[in-house]
Amino acid sequence: MWRDLLLSFSTPVSGGGHRWVVWSRKTPAELSFASVFSGRQSRKSTSRTEKTMADGEEYRNPTEVQMSQLVLPCHTNQRGELSVGQLLKWIDTTACLSAERHAGCPCVTASMDDIYFEHTIRVGQVVNIKAKVNRAFNTSMEVGIQVASEDTCSEKQWNVCKALATFVAHRELSKVKLKQISPRTEEEKTEHSVAAERRRMRLVYADTIKDLLANCAMQYDLESRDCSHVVPAEKTRVESVELVLPPHANHQGNTFGGQIMAWMENVATIAASRLCRAHPTLKAIEMFHFRGPSQVGDRLVLKAIVNNAFKHSMEVGVCVEAYRQEAEAHRRHINSAFMTFVVLDPNDQPQMLPWIRPQPGDGERRYREASARRKIRLDRKYIVSCKQEEMPLSVPWDPSNQVYLSYNNISSLKMLAAKDNWALSSEINQVGLYTLEDDKYLSFHMEMLVNVDAAHAFLLLSDLRRRPEWDKHYRNVELVQQVDEDDAIYHVISPILGTDPKPQDFVILASRRKPCDHGDPYVIALRSVTLPTHPETPEYRRGETLCSGFCVWREGDQMTKDFPFRCPCRIQPTLQTTPYLQAA
């Protein structure tokens, strides 16, 4: 199918800025280098009446649960701030109520994703917690939680943290197959779409740590440290036993996940205090993963130790085991987590910490793993947590951030696809061109129906080495690195276009995903990365793409008059680019 396409590239200009170049070419609609395929839903502006109920009331997600709590002295720590353990209890309770509202039966906490605490909450302030189910899979569901604090006297509000929890529905000791979520608003569509990628990242998290540790050398960070103050790791070890009583359990007799997390935060704080001899502040928590339940009458053994101390932060590892009788030889592993603490001075600035000396054997292993997790945590916070406009067009690539770059690559495309304010610019022979203009970005999107099976289109479009066969904007493609089954890095060379004296080259990360559930698209996402092995050269002008790719939706057995064959697929090209990016 040949159509006039508007092709767009973001190209570097002198002074560190970028200019937007647009031209028209006659080329197959599915072949544009600068194409990104977005979601299947219509790109016409969503009517606001869709976000209101039939009776005129404002739309509210049926799974949404809100909780407001006044922080009293009994909820605070020695600094007069809300205890993170108490906050985790409230978060878990609110999320569980949301999950049970969707499932219609009891639910248990399976995991809690990483949490970064942006602000502390003081006595007298109000904590507002909102939770809703983002997406339901087969027997598990992702619940999104937002926490904010409020000063009722000044009416000021602060964002405290965001959390993502996974819950599993149980009825009579068996798992329950969940009904699917039907997102309505742009926010709900975005969270629903990206939830599948987050679930994938959770499943590969353990392998990510193992792969990184395989290439991680034992290093002692002595730079900028007072080596006269060394604390043996064994001096920070803490062990505590808790008896699970009825107030600690839910209506099924299982210990509340939030209660276990609160006990874990308590022993971790004690371990951190033994290193710094001060009152530490919890800044981040690595993923909680519950490996099994505990019931009323169980004894929970909680162990904590400082794994590693960096310049201004320390990692504390916590492990929870359960047993029923004192004579019981085998203890059940319930949970493990890693918490990051800092020590703040009177101006709320982090203080320098003493160096920790790991014990031989397991202590050195924990020390190395803590260094690896810190590197991953910093990469993840930079890549996943920061706003899209704060990221450079080309992100550095290395093995420690590959999982999160892939996640960001896919999720950026899905979030762009989920926006509901695309404007239809033109439509010819059932091929629609849509545009979306934000403060710094201009995006193009095309929508068409083609007579190709979605799986076949996915295989063709995901292998960039075959692109020159049918796309004249790809002169040569070299596979630089096959990262894994779903991710690869390519070096792409395009021909000379217009009056430009040099051809462009691109270093592209291509990430592909098959549908997670029925109704999901096949996704191929492209973005620029930087590699030391492929620097800029005088021979080419280095081009960059911020967000591009393809989403291919299977149309099933739908019949159309233009395509009288079975199993067509809907392909929708979209491009995000920078009309002009002011140099910092």
Side-chain angles (χ1 to χ4, degrees):
M1 181 189 303
W2 293 78
R3 295 287 182 267
D4 284 333
L5 270 191
L6 197 62
L7 302 184
S8 176
F9 288 86
S10 178
T11 55
V13 295
S14 60
H18 289 76
R19 61 188 173 88
W20 175 48
V21 183
V22 181
W23 67 93
S24 179
R25 291 280 181 184
K26 221 175 177 45
T27 181
E30 67 275 48
L31 310 186
S32 165
F33 171 79
S35 298
V36 180
F37 292 99
S38 60
R40 177 180 178 183
Q41 60 266 32
S42 173
R43 296 305 167 189
K44 296 178 181 178
S45 298
T46 303
S47 172
R48 295 189 178 273
T49 57
E50 292 181 8
K51 300 181 182 181
T52 59
M53 304 296 287
D55 55 2
E57 293 183 3
E58 203 172 304
Y59 167 74
R60 181 171 176 175
N61 189 301
T63 68
E64 184 178 305
V65 172
Q66 297 186 19
M67 175 187 290
S68 294
Q69 295 282 355
L70 179 64
V71 180
L72 302 175
C74 61
H75 301 140
T76 60
N77 57 22
Q78 67 282 346
R79 293 169 58 94
E81 299 167 348
L82 173 64
S83 165
V84 174
Q86 180 62 62
L87 178 59
L88 291 172
K89 284 185 186 181
W90 290 339
I91 288 175
D92 183 69
T93 301
T94 310
C96 184
L97 291 172
S98 175
E100 292 184 349
R101 177 173 286 184
H102 176 70
C105 63
C107 296
V108 295
T109 311
S111 67
M112 184 79 71
D113 283 9
D114 304 351
I115 306 176
Y116 297 93
F117 300 97
E118 300 177 18
H119 293 280
T120 56
I121 307 172
R122 305 199 66 83
V123 64
Q125 294 180 343
V126 174
V127 180
N128 296 312
I129 305 173
K130 182 170 68 173
K132 61 181 177 66
V133 177
N134 290 332
R135 181 163 183 167
F137 300 96
N138 189 24
T139 59
S140 66
M141 68 196 94
E142 180 189 277
V143 180
I145 307 110
Q146 292 183 326
V147 181
S149 61
E150 174 188 358
D151 189 323
T152 55
C153 297
S154 63
E155 297 185 353
K156 291 182 179 180
Q157 296 189 9
W158 301 268
N159 291 322
V160 176
C161 66
K162 292 182 179 180
L164 293 165
T166 302
F167 282 82
V168 177
H170 283 268
R171 183 183 288 119
E172 298 179 356
L173 302 180
S174 62
K175 293 183 178 180
V176 176
K177 185 174 177 61
L178 297 169
K179 61 183 179 181
Q180 298 300 306
I181 293 288
S182 298
R184 292 183 58 182
T185 66
E186 178 183 319
E187 179 186 358
E188 291 176 1
K189 291 174 183 176
T190 300
E191 295 295 343
H192 182 274
S193 180
V194 178
E197 188 64 16
R198 286 193 290 253
R199 180 172 180 262
R200 181 182 186 274
M201 194 164 62
R202 294 183 195 109
L203 296 176
V204 302
Y205 179 78
D207 291 336
T208 302
I209 294 289
K210 290 179 182 178
D211 292 342
L212 183 60
L213 287 176
N215 302 313
C216 180
M218 179 71 176
Q219 294 180 353
Y220 290 89
D221 182 14
L222 300 178
E223 184 180 355
S224 303
R225 288 184 181 273
D226 180 7
C227 295
S228 63
H229 189 189
V230 180
V231 178
E234 286 300 312
K235 284 194 174 183
T236 68
R237 186 180 295 276
V238 179
E239 182 170 323
S240 179
V241 179
E242 298 285 352
L243 175 62
V244 181
L245 299 174
H248 304 142
N250 59 19
H251 41 295
Q252 303 176 82
N254 294 325
T255 316
F256 278 116
Q259 179 63 70
I260 296 177
M261 290 187 283
W263 284 334
M264 295 173 74
E265 186 268 341
N266 180 58
V267 295
T269 302
I270 297 173
S273 300
R274 289 180 176 176
L275 174 71
C276 61
R277 298 301 175 186
H279 298 309
T281 298
L282 181 59
K283 297 297 290 184
I285 302 177
E286 299 281 331
M287 181 186 296
F288 287 104
H289 177 68
F290 291 91
R291 302 173 184 272
S294 62
Q295 294 81 30
V296 172
D298 280 348
R299 280 75 168 168
L300 298 186
V301 180
L302 299 103
K303 301 177 182 179
I305 189 172
V306 176
N307 292 329
N308 201 339
F310 308 101
K311 186 175 181 180
H312 292 123
S313 66
M314 70 186 93
E315 180 195 276
V316 180
V318 191
C319 174
V320 184
E321 298 174 334
Y323 66 93
R324 174 69 58 166
Q325 301 294 335
E326 290 292 343
E328 187 176 335
H330 178 69
R331 294 182 177 180
R332 308 188 310 275
H333 184 192
I334 299 298
N335 202 346
S336 294
F338 304 97
M339 305 186 184
T340 302
F341 288 85
V342 298
V343 178
L344 301 177
D345 61 19
N347 297 321
D348 287 336
Q349 297 300 313
Q351 298 181 5
M352 189 174 296
L353 297 174
W355 176 50
I356 193 164
R357 179 185 295 117
Q359 296 295 314
D362 283 347
E364 292 182 347
R365 174 185 58 80
R366 291 193 299 268
Y367 187 98
R368 290 196 308 118
E369 290 178 349
S371 297
R373 278 188 294 269
R374 180 174 181 267
K375 179 172 177 54
I376 290 178
R377 184 167 57 249
L378 294 176
D379 288 340
R380 179 176 55 229
K381 187 175 182 181
Y382 171 69
I383 296 170
V384 177
S385 303
C386 69
K387 297 179 181 179
Q388 186 75 4
E389 61 266 18
E390 296 174 357
M391 295 184 64
L393 294 182
S394 296
V395 180
W397 172 270
D398 68 64
S400 67
N401 66 15
Q402 66 184 47
V403 172
Y404 307 104
L405 272 175
S406 177
Y407 163 82
N408 181 265
N409 198 13
I410 295 290
S411 60
S412 296
L413 178 60
K414 287 187 171 183
M415 287 189 287
L416 180 62
K419 292 183 179 295
D420 61 2
N421 52 342
W422 289 92
L424 179 63
S425 296
S426 63
E427 186 172 12
I428 304 175
N429 296 334
Q430 295 186 338
V431 177
L433 174 64
Y434 298 82
T435 58
L436 174 64
E437 187 171 0
D438 294 328
D439 291 339
K440 295 183 179 180
Y441 300 101
L442 181 64
S443 304
F444 294 97
H445 153 75
M446 291 189 65
E447 183 171 320
M448 67 197 74
L449 192 66
V450 297
N451 179 34
V452 180
D453 181 75
H456 292 164
F458 174 71
L459 292 175
L460 174 64
L461 296 172
S462 60
D463 188 356
L464 297 192
R465 288 172 297 182
R466 300 192 60 184
R467 196 70 172 262
E469 298 175 12
W470 46 269
D471 189 351
K472 60 185 179 182
H473 297 98
Y474 275 56
R475 192 181 77 184
N476 183 61
V477 178
E478 172 197 2
L479 176 63
V480 177
Q481 181 180 349
Q482 186 67 50
V483 179
D484 54 33
E485 183 181 357
D486 294 323
D487 295 275
I489 300 176
Y490 297 91
H491 182 223
V492 178
I493 299 175
S494 68
I496 296 176
L497 296 173
T499 58
D500 197 332
K502 294 182 180 180
Q504 279 189 307
D505 72 331
F506 301 80
V507 180
I508 300 293
L509 169 65
S511 305
R512 67 177 194 172
R513 299 290 186 271
K514 294 182 180 179
C516 177
D517 284 327
H518 178 72
D520 284 349
Y522 291 87
V523 180
I524 305 106
L526 311 173
R527 74 152 301 138
S528 292
V529 294
T530 58
L531 281 176
T533 56
H534 287 72
E536 293 188 44
T537 61
E539 183 180 359
Y540 302 107
R541 182 167 56 84
R542 178 58 52 90
E544 296 176 297
T545 177
L546 174 65
C547 177
S548 55
F550 308 90
C551 283
V552 183
W553 300 83
R554 189 189 299 275
E555 289 293 302
D557 292 337
Q558 177 181 345
M559 307 291 287
T560 67
K561 62 180 182 180
D562 290 337
F563 302 96
F565 299 96
R566 300 174 68 84
C567 297
C569 66
R570 185 174 298 276
I571 301 182
Q572 303 159 330
T574 309
L575 168 71
Q576 187 175 54
T577 185
T578 50
Y580 182 75
L581 180 62
Q582 182 65 41

